Amino acid sequence: MLKNLDPLLNADVLYALRAMGHGDRLVICDTNFPGDSIARQTRLGRLLRIDAVTAPRAARAILSVMPLDTFIDDAAARMEIVGSPDEMPDVQVEMQVEIDAAEGKHWPMVSIDRMDFYEHAKNAYCVIATGERRFYGCFILTKGVIPPEDLR
């Protein structure tokens, strides 16, 4: 057991989060995303899982230990709804709430076309599949840095 860690962060996910460097990206995906086939093309090369929870809840756990990259505008991205790129379904609204809470300010997600999202995902460090069953529950987060004064 470890203290002060979200219990959803299993050993495999913690390993990947620790191994990632500044600028590395991770995908949080829903149950319809081709997670295994995309994950095989990532740097890690295998699918990670945080099962039985929504994508926003998995993001809360991840963002409790991983800062977003402040040097880029697209550190948080969402898959666009086909034919309705500006629409944000409930799962994406909930994800925005989690991102804002973790960063302590409004941090708008950028949107990525569905097919482009798949290509971006292949270049990620890893893919984390969740139990999210709602459509368009797919996101890409970019790891930032922790300043020296925040280290303990």
Side-chain angles (χ1 to χ4, degrees):
M1 295 296 297
L2 298 172
K3 294 168 57 174
N4 301 320
L5 282 179
D6 190 303
L8 294 181
L9 297 174
N10 60 60
D12 291 335
V13 171
L14 283 170
Y15 169 83
L17 295 175
R18 177 61 182 98
M20 290 172 63
H22 179 214
D24 280 339
R25 297 178 189 262
L26 68 81
V27 176
I28 298 172
C29 68
D30 63 30
T31 56
N32 291 298
F33 187 79
D36 187 65
S37 61
I38 296 287
R40 290 172 190 261
Q41 299 174 66
T42 65
R43 303 299 182 267
L44 187 64
R46 64 187 175 87
L47 182 63
L48 302 176
R49 306 194 72 85
I50 299 179
D51 288 317
V53 297
T54 66
R57 178 61 185 94
R60 181 188 317 157
I62 291 162
L63 292 171
S64 74
V65 296
M66 188 189 90
L68 290 177
D69 192 341
T70 59
F71 293 103
I72 60 174
D73 293 331
D74 64 346
R78 62 181 179 86
M79 182 187 286
E80 287 180 1
I81 294 177
V82 175
S84 224
D86 296 326
E87 183 182 343
M88 285 183 62
D90 289 345
V91 65
Q92 293 182 357
V93 171
E94 291 170 24
M95 177 63 93
Q96 186 66 67
V97 169
E98 295 296 343
I99 291 168
D100 293 351
E103 293 301 315
K105 63 180 179 181
H106 183 59
W107 190 301
M109 289 184 284
V110 299
S111 63
I112 302 174
D113 169 81
R114 179 175 157 253
M115 298 313 292
D116 290 340
F117 189 97
Y118 293 144
E119 292 306 311
H120 283 277
K122 291 174 187 176
N123 292 312
Y125 183 84
C126 64
V127 175
I128 302 172
T130 69
E132 181 60 68
R133 295 185 59 207
R134 295 172 289 182
F135 296 148
Y136 297 100
C138 299
F139 307 91
I140 298 176
L141 303 177
T142 305
K143 187 175 182 179
V145 298
I146 298 173
E149 61 272 8
D150 287 351
L151 295 176
R152 294 180 177 106

